Coordinates of all heavy atoms in Angstrom, one line a residue:
Chain D
D18 N 150.3 42.2 80.3 CA 150.0 41.8 81.6 C 148.5 41.7 81.8 O 147.7 42.4 81.2 CB 150.5 42.9 82.6 CG 152.0 42.9 82.8 OD1 152.6 42.2 82.0 OD2 152.4 43.7 83.6
I19 N 148.1 40.7 82.6 CA 146.7 40.6 83.0 C 146.4 41.5 84.2 O 147.1 41.3 85.3 CB 146.4 39.1 83.2 CG1 146.6 38.3 82.0 CG2 145.0 39.0 83.8 CD1 146.3 36.8 82.1
M21 N 143.8 42.7 87.2 CA 142.7 42.1 88.0 C 142.0 43.3 88.7 O 142.7 44.0 89.4 CB 143.2 41.1 89.0 CG 144.1 40.0 88.4 SD 143.2 39.0 87.2 CE 141.9 38.2 88.2
N45 N 140.8 36.5 79.4 CA 140.2 35.2 79.7 C 141.3 34.4 80.5 O 142.4 34.1 80.0 CB 139.8 34.4 78.5 CG 139.1 33.1 78.8 OD1 139.3 32.5 79.9 ND2 138.3 32.6 77.9
I46 N 141.0 34.0 81.8 CA 142.0 33.3 82.5 C 141.4 31.9 82.9 O 141.9 31.3 83.8 CB 142.5 34.0 83.8 CG1 141.2 34.3 84.7 CG2 143.2 35.3 83.4 CD1 141.7 34.9 86.1
K49 N 141.7 29.9 86.4 CA 143.0 30.1 87.2 C 142.9 31.3 88.0 O 143.7 32.3 87.8 CB 144.1 30.1 86.2 CG 144.2 28.7 85.4 CD 145.4 28.6 84.5 CE 145.4 27.3 83.9 NZ 146.6 27.1 83.0
L50 N 142.1 31.2 89.1 CA 141.8 32.3 90.0 C 141.8 31.8 91.4 O 141.2 30.8 91.7 CB 140.5 33.0 89.6 CG 140.1 34.3 90.2 CD1 139.6 34.2 91.6 CD2 141.1 35.4 90.1
N51 N 142.6 32.5 92.2 CA 142.7 32.1 93.6 C 142.2 33.2 94.5 O 142.3 34.4 94.1 CB 144.1 31.8 94.0 CG 144.8 30.9 93.1 OD1 144.2 29.8 92.7 ND2 146.1 31.2 92.7
Q106 N 143.8 36.5 92.9 CA 145.0 36.4 92.2 C 144.9 35.5 91.0 O 144.3 34.4 91.1 CB 146.1 35.7 93.2 CG 147.4 35.5 92.5 CD 148.3 34.5 93.3 OE1 147.8 33.5 93.8 NE2 149.6 34.8 93.4
Q107 N 145.4 35.9 89.8 CA 145.3 35.1 88.7 C 146.6 34.3 88.6 O 147.7 34.8 88.9 CB 145.1 35.9 87.4 CG 146.2 36.9 87.0 CD 147.4 36.3 86.3 OE1 147.2 35.2 85.7 NE2 148.5 37.0 86.2
S108 N 146.5 33.0 88.1 CA 147.7 32.2 87.9 C 147.7 31.7 86.5 O 148.3 30.7 86.2 CB 147.6 31.0 88.9 OG 146.5 30.2 88.6
Y109 N 147.1 32.4 85.6 CA 147.1 32.1 84.2 C 148.4 32.6 83.5 O 148.9 31.8 82.7 CB 145.9 32.8 83.5 CG 145.7 32.4 82.0 CD1 144.9 31.3 81.7 CD2 146.2 33.2 81.1 CE1 144.7 30.9 80.3 CE2 146.0 32.9 79.7 CZ 145.3 31.8 79.4 OH 145.1 31.4 78.0
S110 N 148.8 33.8 83.8 CA 149.9 34.4 83.2 C 151.1 34.2 84.1 O 151.3 35.1 85.0 CB 149.7 35.9 82.8 OG 150.8 36.5 82.4
T111 N 151.8 33.1 84.0 CA 153.0 32.9 84.9 C 154.2 33.4 84.2 O 154.4 33.4 83.0 CB 153.1 31.4 85.2 OG1 153.4 30.7 83.9 CG2 151.8 30.9 85.8
P112 N 155.2 33.9 85.0 CA 155.2 33.9 86.4 C 154.7 35.2 87.0 O 155.0 35.6 88.1 CB 156.7 33.8 86.7 CG 157.4 34.6 85.7 CD 156.5 34.4 84.4
Q113 N 153.8 36.0 86.3 CA 153.3 37.2 86.7 C 152.0 36.9 87.4 O 150.9 37.1 86.8 CB 153.1 38.2 85.6 CG 154.3 38.7 85.0 CD 154.6 40.1 85.5 OE1 155.0 40.2 86.7 NE2 154.4 41.1 84.7
Y114 N 152.0 36.5 88.6 CA 150.8 36.1 89.4 C 150.1 37.4 90.0 O 150.1 37.5 91.2 CB 151.1 35.1 90.4 CG 151.8 33.9 90.0 CD1 153.1 33.7 90.0 CD2 151.0 32.8 89.5 CE1 153.7 32.5 89.5 CE2 151.5 31.6 89.0 CZ 152.9 31.5 89.1 OH 153.5 30.4 88.6
T115 N 149.5 38.2 89.1 CA 148.9 39.5 89.6 C 147.7 39.3 90.5 O 146.9 38.4 90.4 CB 148.6 40.3 88.4 OG1 147.9 39.6 87.4 CG2 149.8 41.0 87.7
Chain G
W62 N 158.4 25.5 94.1 CA 158.8 26.9 93.9 C 158.4 27.8 95.0 O 157.4 27.6 95.7 CB 158.0 27.4 92.6 CG 158.5 26.9 91.3 CD1 158.1 25.6 90.8 CD2 159.3 27.4 90.3 NE1 158.6 25.4 89.6 CE2 159.4 26.5 89.2 CE3 159.9 28.7 90.2 CZ2 160.1 26.8 88.1 CZ3 160.7 28.9 89.0 CH2 160.7 28.0 88.0
W76 N 153.4 41.1 92.9 CA 154.2 39.9 92.6 C 155.6 40.3 92.2 O 155.8 41.1 91.3 CB 153.6 39.0 91.6 CG 154.4 37.8 91.4 CD1 155.3 37.5 90.4 CD2 154.3 36.7 92.2 NE1 155.8 36.2 90.6 CE2 155.2 35.7 91.7 CE3 153.6 36.4 93.4 CZ2 155.4 34.5 92.3 CZ3 153.8 35.1 94.0 CH2 154.7 34.2 93.5
M77 N 156.7 39.8 92.9 CA 158.1 40.1 92.6 C 158.8 39.1 91.8 O 159.5 39.4 90.8 CB 158.8 40.3 93.9 CG 158.2 41.4 94.8 SD 159.2 41.5 96.4 CE 160.7 42.3 95.8
G78 N 158.7 37.8 92.1 CA 159.5 36.8 91.4 C 159.3 35.5 92.1 O 158.8 35.4 93.2
I79 N 160.0 34.5 91.5 CA 159.8 33.1 92.0 C 161.1 32.3 91.7 O 161.7 32.6 90.7 CB 158.5 32.5 91.4 CG1 158.1 31.2 92.2 CG2 158.7 32.2 89.9 CD1 156.7 30.7 91.8
E86 N 166.5 28.0 89.3 CA 165.8 28.7 88.2 C 165.0 29.8 88.8 O 164.2 29.6 89.7 CB 165.0 27.8 87.3 CG 164.3 28.6 86.1 CD 163.5 27.7 85.3 OE1 163.5 26.5 85.4 OE2 162.7 28.3 84.5
T87 N 165.1 31.0 88.2 CA 164.5 32.2 88.9 C 163.8 33.0 87.8 O 164.3 33.2 86.7 CB 165.5 33.1 89.6 OG1 166.3 32.3 90.4 CG2 164.8 34.2 90.4
R88 N 162.6 33.4 88.1 CA 161.8 34.3 87.1 C 161.3 35.5 87.9 O 160.8 35.4 89.0 CB 160.6 33.5 86.6 CG 161.1 32.2 85.8 CD 159.9 31.4 85.5 NE 160.3 30.1 84.9 CZ 159.5 29.1 84.6 NH1 158.2 29.2 84.9 NH2 160.0 28.0 84.1
Y89 N 161.6 36.7 87.3 CA 161.2 37.9 87.9 C 160.1 38.6 87.2 O 159.9 38.6 86.0 CB 162.4 38.9 87.9 CG 163.6 38.4 88.8 CD1 164.6 37.7 88.2 CD2 163.6 38.7 90.1 CE1 165.7 37.3 89.0 CE2 164.7 38.3 90.9 CZ 165.8 37.6 90.3 OH 166.8 37.2 91.1
S90 N 159.2 39.3 88.0 CA 158.3 40.3 87.4 C 159.1 41.4 86.7 O 160.1 41.8 87.3 CB 157.4 40.9 88.5 OG 156.7 42.0 88.0
P91 N 158.8 41.9 85.6 CA 159.5 43.0 84.9 C 159.7 44.2 85.8 O 160.8 44.8 85.7 CB 158.6 43.3 83.7 CG 157.9 42.1 83.3 CD 157.6 41.4 84.7
R128 N 154.6 27.7 96.2 CA 153.6 27.4 95.1 C 153.2 26.0 95.1 O 154.1 25.1 95.2 CB 154.2 27.8 93.8 CG 153.2 27.9 92.6 CD 153.8 28.2 91.3 NE 154.4 27.0 90.7 CZ 155.0 27.0 89.5 NH1 155.1 28.1 88.8 NH2 155.5 25.9 89.0
L129 N 151.9 25.7 94.9 CA 151.4 24.4 94.7 C 150.8 24.4 93.4 O 150.4 25.4 92.8 CB 150.3 24.1 95.8 CG 150.9 24.1 97.2 CD1 149.8 23.9 98.2 CD2 151.9 22.9 97.4
E130 N 150.5 23.2 92.8 CA 149.9 23.1 91.5 C 149.1 21.8 91.4 O 149.4 20.8 92.1 CB 150.9 23.3 90.4 CG 152.0 22.2 90.4 CD 153.0 22.5 89.2 OE1 153.3 23.6 89.0 OE2 153.4 21.5 88.6
R131 N 148.1 21.8 90.5 CA 147.4 20.5 90.2 C 146.8 20.7 88.8 O 146.7 21.8 88.2 CB 146.3 20.2 91.2 CG 145.2 21.2 91.3 CD 144.2 20.8 92.4 NE 143.4 19.7 91.9 CZ 142.4 19.2 92.7 NH1 142.1 19.7 93.9 NH2 141.7 18.2 92.3
D137 N 144.7 21.3 82.1 CA 145.9 22.1 82.2 C 146.2 22.3 83.7 O 145.6 21.8 84.6 CB 145.8 23.5 81.5 CG 144.6 24.2 81.9 OD1 143.8 23.8 82.8 OD2 144.4 25.4 81.4
I138 N 147.3 23.1 84.0 CA 147.8 23.2 85.3 C 147.3 24.5 86.0 O 147.4 25.6 85.3 CB 149.3 23.1 85.4 CG1 149.8 21.8 84.9 CG2 149.8 23.4 86.8 CD1 151.3 21.6 84.8
T139 N 146.8 24.4 87.2 CA 146.5 25.6 88.0 C 147.4 25.7 89.2 O 147.9 24.7 89.7 CB 145.0 25.7 88.4 OG1 144.7 27.0 88.9 CG2 144.7 24.6 89.5
R140 N 147.7 26.9 89.6 CA 148.7 27.1 90.7 C 148.2 28.0 91.7 O 147.4 29.0 91.4 CB 150.0 27.6 90.1 CG 150.6 26.6 89.0 CD 151.9 27.2 88.4 NE 152.6 26.2 87.6 CZ 152.5 26.1 86.3 NH1 151.7 27.0 85.6 NH2 153.1 25.2 85.6
W141 N 148.6 27.8 92.9 CA 148.2 28.7 94.0 C 149.3 28.7 95.1 O 150.3 27.9 94.9 CB 146.9 28.4 94.6 CG 146.8 27.1 95.4 CD1 146.8 26.9 96.7 CD2 146.7 25.7 94.8 NE1 146.8 25.6 97.0 CE2 146.7 24.8 95.9 CE3 146.7 25.3 93.5 CZ2 146.6 23.4 95.7 CZ3 146.6 23.9 93.3 CH2 146.6 23.0 94.4
F142 N 149.2 29.5 96.1 CA 150.3 29.7 97.0 C 149.9 29.4 98.5 O 148.9 30.0 99.0 CB 150.9 31.1 96.9 CG 151.6 31.3 95.6 CD1 150.9 31.6 94.4 CD2 152.9 31.1 95.5 CE1 151.5 31.7 93.2 CE2 153.6 31.2 94.2 CZ 152.8 31.5 93.1

Side-chain angles (χ1 to χ4, degrees):
Chain D
D18 288 6
I19 296 178
M21 305 302 294
N45 185 336
I46 59 170
K49 298 185 179 182
L50 191 284
N51 308 318
Q106 178 198 39
Q107 64 82 19
S108 63
Y109 184 88
S110 175
T111 62
Q113 290 261 71
Y114 299 98
T115 45
Chain G
W62 292 77
W76 184 260
M77 300 179 72
I79 195 167
E86 179 181 351
T87 309
R88 301 171 186 172
Y89 295 93
S90 166
R128 193 184 81 177
L129 298 173
E130 61 184 39
R131 66 181 284 182
D137 56 359
I138 296 175
T139 192
R140 299 177 172 99
W141 68 101
F142 292 84

